[in-house]
């Protein structure tokens, strides 16, 4: 099957971005990557969470203006940390022939991690954009590690997790080129 990536932008909604770690930097990183994806004819899929504090139609629920979906771009609605669960994300990716998901968004330990692992379990290769996901801004208290450490921790996990025969890459946005991963020569 030929390599076919799609960019996922998870939960970059007003309420989430308002409480996020490095909001401006993360939004800018994702926006630039999204433009490159569009330029490479890579589908961009915006995932939008519905739930308490993120009621559909409210200002808190809306996607931040810098990342608002373009005309004709897919928006997936979800109600759990897993963007595949009870949504049309899986069937949509299948219909497009997608083989790799490039994951960005909010929140690192919840929706980003859960969706990335589900993508691997469903047979997709994965690119986790190292500087394109974030979590809530918080100090190192109440059992949670500080925000910057949480992002670094998840990047490290995905650099070392094995999921044969899936390809897993953790790349800064500047290094994401939407091409197939290089397979080492077995010789």
């Amino acid at each position: 099957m030929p390599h076919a990536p799609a960019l996922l932008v998870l939960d970059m909604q007003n309420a989430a971005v308002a409480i996020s770690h490095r909001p401006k930097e993360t939004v800018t990183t994702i926006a630039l990557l999204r433009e490159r994806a569009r330029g490479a004819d890579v589908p961009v899929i915006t995932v939008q969470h519905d739930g308490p504090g993120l009621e559909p139609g409210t200002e808190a629920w809306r996607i931040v203006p810098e990342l608002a979906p373009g005309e004709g771009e897919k928006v997936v609605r979800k109600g759990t940390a897993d963007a595949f669960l009870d949504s049309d994300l899986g069937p949509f990716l299948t219909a497009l022939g997608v083989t790799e998901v490039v994951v960005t968004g909010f929140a690192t330990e919840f929706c980003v991690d859960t969706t990335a692992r589900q993508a691997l379990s469903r047979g997709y290769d994965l690119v986790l954009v190292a500087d394109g996901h974030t979590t809530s801004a918080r100090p190192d208290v109440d059992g949670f590690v500080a925000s910057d450490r949480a992002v670094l921790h998840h990047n490290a996990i995905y650099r070392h997790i094995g999921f044969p025969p899936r390809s897993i890459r953790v790349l800064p946005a500047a290094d994401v080129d939407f091409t197939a991963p290089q397979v080492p020569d077995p010789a």
Side-chain angles (χ1 to χ4, degrees):
M1 179 175 272
H3 177 259
L7 175 62
L8 302 183
V9 179
L10 302 173
D11 302 345
M12 294 301 288
Q13 294 161 260
N14 287 324
V17 172
I19 63 165
S20 71
H21 170 65
R22 301 182 63 240
K24 183 177 180 182
E25 296 88 340
T26 306
V27 168
T28 299
T29 296
I30 296 170
L32 292 170
L33 185 60
R34 185 178 69 162
E35 289 308 310
R36 290 185 20 237
R38 289 173 174 162
D41 292 323
V42 168
V44 176
I45 300 150
T46 300
V47 179
Q48 191 168 26
H49 194 92
D50 297 347
L54 294 170
E55 289 81 11
T58 64
E59 193 59 30
W61 171 83
R62 292 189 199 334
I63 302 297
V64 295
E66 301 89 337
L67 298 174
E71 189 169 330
E73 288 181 345
K74 177 71 173 168
V75 176
V76 170
R77 306 271 296 277
K78 69 177 182 64
T80 70
D82 178 358
F84 289 93
L85 183 63
D86 297 329
S87 78
D88 62 348
L89 178 60
F92 184 74
L93 294 174
T94 298
L96 292 178
V98 170
T99 61
E100 178 178 71
V101 293
V102 179
V103 177
T104 66
F106 182 89
T108 298
E109 311 92 323
F110 301 103
C111 301
V112 170
D113 181 59
T114 303
T115 298
R117 289 177 193 257
Q118 283 300 312
L120 290 166
S121 291
R122 293 167 184 261
Y124 297 98
D125 291 333
L126 172 70
V127 174
L128 178 63
V129 182
D131 53 348
H133 64 96
T134 191
T135 191
S136 57
R138 60 177 182 263
D140 194 351
V141 296
D142 296 331
F144 281 100
V145 297
S147 307
D148 56 341
R149 289 182 43 222
V151 170
L152 291 172
H153 174 80
H154 278 76
N155 288 343
I157 286 173
Y158 281 93
R159 284 187 184 100
H160 298 287
I161 195 170
F163 231 102
R166 309 289 169 256
S167 166
I168 302 171
R169 300 181 287 165
V170 179
L171 302 171
D175 292 348
V176 175
D177 64 5
F178 300 106
T179 60
Q182 297 299 313
V183 178
D185 187 359

